[in-house]
Amino acid sequence: MSSSERFDCHYCKDSLLGKKYTMKEDTQYCTKCYENLFANCCEACSLPIGCNFKDLSYKDHHWHEQCFKCAKCSRSLVEKAFAAKEDLLLCTECYAHDYSSKCNTCKKTIMPGSRKMEYKGNSWHETCFLCHRCQQPIGTKSFIPKDSGYFCVPCFEKQFAYQCCACKKAITTGGVTHQDKPWHRECFLCIGCRKQLSGQRFTSRENYPYCLECFSNLYAKKCVGCTKSISSESVFMYYLSVYFE
């Protein structure tokens, strides 16, 4: 047989005619050479994963199909959900028993792969994390803790939030109070020029707030000499808005 008609192993040069072989990058190898050169070693038994075996891999580690088992109970993990913990592979039952958190509401295990909610060291099943008022799952929506409960924003506003005296809407973050009445900062305005008064000196007349300029123009006495408003501080009584969160 001429050299052009030969079909040999690329590495050991043994003839492959009538024998099993494996191709790698368009090059043929006998099964022995292929396993010695290229086969991955099994993480469990340390033997090569030969051509006649299925190579199962996870994060650059490899196993024979029959060696791919839970590190605790030894049940097969082939085509099953599993979890990794400190380089060990565990079935979902063993992982849940040893490592999974417990739901703060129903006290049952939160299984690996299921969605859970976490807040300040506590965990819940997604369907167990409910608004204390409407009892609907909060999910990924915003919520507000109050005492020992958790409230979706609409329920919190209905039950606890102050209502702005001007716009009648809930005040959910910092506002101002004047004469025991609450306002949004942006709603607490001079009745004359509509300028925001929060954090500013102002006065009031008949329970309406005024900036000093408007009050001076409207109500302050005028000097008979220069006709300008008499705006001495002794004329005005100033109020400071009180912020609350």
Side-chain angles (χ1 to χ4, degrees), residues 33-93:
C33 288
Y34 180 88
E35 291 176 2
N36 291 335
L37 293 170
F38 305 114
N40 297 304
C41 285
C42 176
E43 289 288 322
C45 68
S46 300
L47 297 175
I49 303 173
C51 303
N52 296 326
F53 297 93
K54 184 179 290 187
D55 184 336
L56 303 181
S57 64
Y58 174 73
K59 289 189 175 180
D60 296 326
H61 297 291
H62 299 264
W63 290 263
H64 292 102
E65 187 174 17
Q66 66 271 22
C67 296
F68 194 57
K69 300 177 181 179
C70 171
K72 184 175 183 181
C73 69
S74 296
R75 286 185 291 182
S76 175
L77 298 177
V78 177
E79 298 183 356
K80 294 180 181 178
F82 64 89
K85 183 70 174 180
E86 298 174 354
D87 294 330
L88 297 177
L89 300 186
L90 302 169
C91 64
T92 54
E93 289 83 359

Side-chain angles (χ1 to χ4, degrees), residues 18-185:
K19 298 178 181 178
K20 292 183 66 175
Y21 65 91
T22 302
M23 299 293 295
K24 183 175 177 64
E25 298 176 355
D26 298 326
T27 303
Q28 68 275 7
Y29 295 87
C30 66
T31 55
K32 183 178 179 180
C33 288
Y34 180 88
E35 291 176 2
N36 291 335
L37 293 170
F38 305 114
N40 297 304
C41 285
C42 176
E43 289 288 322
C45 68
S46 300
L47 297 175
I49 303 173
C51 303
N52 296 326
F53 297 93
K54 184 179 290 187
D55 184 336
L56 303 181
S57 64
Y58 174 73
K59 289 189 175 180
D60 296 326
H61 297 291
H62 299 264
W63 290 263
H64 292 102
E65 187 174 17
Q66 66 271 22
C67 296
F68 194 57
K69 300 177 181 179
C70 171
K72 184 175 183 181
C73 69
S74 296
R75 286 185 291 182
S76 175
L77 298 177
V78 177
E79 298 183 356
K80 294 180 181 178
F82 64 89
K85 183 70 174 180
E86 298 174 354
D87 294 330
L88 297 177
L89 300 186
L90 302 169
C91 64
T92 54
E93 289 83 359
C94 288
Y95 183 89
H97 182 270
D98 290 350
Y99 301 108
S100 288
S101 13
K102 300 291 189 293
C103 176
N104 198 51
T105 298
C106 70
K107 310 306 179 185
K108 295 180 180 179
T109 298
I110 301 174
M111 298 298 289
S114 61
R115 297 189 64 177
K116 69 176 180 178
M117 311 300 296
E118 293 181 310
Y119 180 71
K120 287 191 174 181
N122 294 320
S123 300
W124 292 263
H125 294 106
E126 186 178 28
T127 53
C128 292
F129 190 57
L130 308 177
C131 170
H132 188 74
R133 187 173 188 267
C134 68
Q135 292 297 299
Q136 294 300 307
I138 294 174
T140 57
K141 295 180 291 187
S142 298
F143 67 91
I144 301 172
K146 176 71 174 177
D147 300 329
S148 59
Y150 304 94
F151 296 81
C152 64
V153 174
C155 285
F156 183 87
E157 292 179 354
K158 291 176 183 176
Q159 187 160 339
F160 299 108
Y162 289 100
Q163 302 296 315
C164 175
C165 289
C167 69
K168 310 304 180 185
K169 294 180 181 179
I171 302 173
T172 55
T173 56
V176 296
T177 61
H178 173 57
Q179 295 182 343
D180 295 326
K181 295 179 181 179
W183 279 267
H184 291 109
R185 286 190 181 98

Side-chain angles (χ1 to χ4, degrees), residues 1-28:
M1 180 181 293
S2 66
S3 58
S4 61
E5 296 175 328
R6 295 183 62 84
F7 187 65
D8 300 336
C9 172
H10 180 73
Y11 188 77
C12 69
K13 306 305 179 184
D14 283 351
S15 174
L16 297 177
L17 293 174
K19 298 178 181 178
K20 292 183 66 175
Y21 65 91
T22 302
M23 299 293 295
K24 183 175 177 64
E25 298 176 355
D26 298 326
T27 303
Q28 68 275 7

